[in-house]
Amino acid sequence: MKKRIALGCIFVLLFSLAGCSQSKEASVEQLLEEELSGEITVSCYDPMIYKDFFEKAAKSFEEKHPGTKINVETFAKMPDIKTSEDSKIAVVTVTKEEESQESADYIGKINTELMGGGGPDLLVMDILPFYKYADSGLLENLQNYMDADKGFSEGDYRSNIIEAMKYKGGQYLMPLDYRFDYIAYDSSLLRGDDESRLKAMADRISYNELFQIEKNSFLQENSDSSGSVRMLGMPADQVMLDELMRCDYDEYIDLENRKVSLNDGRFASLLESVKQYGTDGYLRPNTPADQLGTGDTGVPFDMSVIEKLRSEEFFFKSKSHNSLREEVLRTEGAKDGFQSFGFGGGITSGDERNDKILGLLSGHNGNKSFKYFNALGINSNSSNKALAWSFLKYLLSEEIQNDPQMMIIGLPVNNAAREELASKIITSNYGNEASSEDDQLTAEQENLVKRYRETVESLSDTLNYWPIQDDTIKEMIQQETKRFFDGSSSSGEVAEALQKKIELYLNE
Amino acid sequence: MKETKRKMYDSGLLFLLVSFGGVILFYLWPFVVSLWFAFTDSPVRGNFAGIDNFTGLLSNKAYLLGLKNTLAFIGMSVPLGMILSLLVAILILRSGRRKELFILLFLIPLVIPSGSTIFFWKALFLNDGYLNGILVSLGFGKIRWLETSAVRYVILLIFLWKNLGYNMVLFLAGLHNIPREQYEAASVDGSGAVSTFFQITLPGLTPTLVLTAIMSVINSFKVFKEIYLITGNYPHESIYMLQHFMNNMFYALNYQKLSAATCILVLMITMAVLLLLNLERGFEQ
């Protein structure tokens, strides 16, 4: 009897183990030859940016491929949207409580599904720890699909962006868009040969050098006036620290090689620099959000505060690529009326009337960083990878990337779509003239579109760095550096504590 | 007669089968399945990796740190907890009329949910907490209780506060089981308090001591809940325990390392329990 029970147990065990073992899978080439059918699910956390975009794309994909179904699922709650308006200006604020539990729940849900051998077919990497999934073999290497698919040509996309997002030699993430910040300077504040000195360093910009060049002008400017002209419109806290680290992130925390170098003195001196910039008056004493206040829903903002924020002067600004339109229109002397499109840099940029583009912030190794809004990976557990790849390819197509909604998200990675979108961006609301796609561009508009494209493309060409970041590490840095900025710990103590914590986290 | 015995035997088996089924389904089977992960290189479509995960753990700094801290904490908290609870149990036995009240007081921490006590511990030990407030008012400097190695003493205090009552009840039962005649005989022979304690009380408590030690070791693992709620996933390195490692491996999706660590832990606990039971047997003989 005992023998029988023991044998039974062994059989059941072997049977279940056999179920866990690897089954022979079809090659990518074979997968791509399959006829598209069935359904897949695209999962994303944030409903605000992604939901409409994916649902629209899913609908048009289904129309093109009858017999297929694309489900779009989101997890987080929609944020509160508040609008304040007076005769001159409309302010729309989108407020969302930091729901760390909500995001942890979403990651937990996806993790459980993935580890159970299931999960959504396409994962939008808005908050998901993509590198952990790649390490666990849960994401498909999209390079294999790109190579095997004859209908996919890498030359049609921004290859430097896609290339920079490789992880351990594999392409586990496919960006749909990219965004970057550039440095602008206020030409009205410069003195003597400052402008030519700045232009000479446009290829390798660092904040330290910028501040050195403008130090005298800064002192003179502030001795003449009320002392309210700052070097940069950022607060002397975590925000500035992030900005200083963004092009050299790997030098401090190298996630790919699990290496941490925070206790060699460089990070401590970075912390000290931020504090020193604050003490010297180079940076804002508080954030614009502090000045503005969040207010209650329905209660209008104090417009005088907004006006004050918009009139603030800074020698330098770190502005989003979205401001490039305004910059080009201003530089090219476009006719009045274009400003109604909005103030490109937002209220944090202060007075932008004399702003000029300098270039991109550069790291020690010449790194020029970018981010994305929208990037996806294919789940290795997916039972319909052919459809998942086909939909992903569709999202990358000119047809979808050309959607004006892309304009408010980021710059499309599809080259043709980006080119076409440039004219839409320039002509939208330009000179209060209504424009449609079929309208013939005027000579002035054509020139503006050309200049805008050149500006975007020349800056984009140099982008080469996408530092992989981890939310847990971000939180650790935030918690520890808070102690430095509030004066309760020294820079050395914070650097040492972070070194130990992050090292432990990465080498578990 | 034989038939009745057989019937009783059969119905007993039926009753056993239900609970045995539960143990297999919810404890043994998941453990056996997780064993498979311990021998694979990836949790999804993994290949057999031999003992790589086990050897990998032995060179894993985080695992070794967790193991070292866990052993140090057990080595510190279990003996201290046992000595204090035995002392309290003896004092309560001698306290006479207020015995029930003291027992109740020491049992209260057992019934308070961990989540609700965290607020109190945080308020006490935070940088701007009550304790630092007292220190400052007495002219001392602040101590960063939760961010330095001082946190070790904080969790030791929490462990003692939480488990003293439980161990005390076990010791009270053990003390009651020692025949009064032995104490009377010792008293007649002129034995002192210390000599009586070591010659009668301690040998009489041997089975209770073993049971308390086993329960204390198990409870020392349970204190992780409080540590986690107070200091999070990545606390100061001096209180990074094996459970931190295992919990973080779960979130990092590294099920193979998690399973290997679980196997080693199960093996270690089994060996420790067997050792304690053997010791008890030795004492009895």
Side-chain angles (χ1 to χ4, degrees), chain A residues 180-183 207 234 240-250 252 318-319 360-363 367-371 465-467 469:
Chain A
F180 59 87
D181 291 339
Y182 64 92
I183 303 291
Y207 281 116
M234 283 187 194
M240 186 62 193
L241 182 71
D242 287 346
E243 185 70 4
L244 288 178
M245 281 178 80
R246 81 173 149 101
C247 288
D248 294 312
Y249 193 81
D250 286 352
Y252 301 101
S318 177
K319 296 165 94 172
L360 298 174
L361 199 66
S362 173
N367 291 339
K368 290 179 178 168
S369 72
F370 67 92
K371 288 182 179 173
Y465 184 57
W466 177 70
Q469 295 200 7

Side-chain angles (χ1 to χ4, degrees), chain A residues 13 22 25 380-381 505 508, chain B residues 45 47 234 240 248 257:
Chain A
L13 185 64
Q22 205 171 15
E25 285 187 18
S380 293
N381 298 329
Y505 171 65
E508 271 181 330
Chain B
R45 293 176 299 281
N47 299 310
Y234 294 92
Y240 179 86
N248 295 340
K257 259 190 209 172

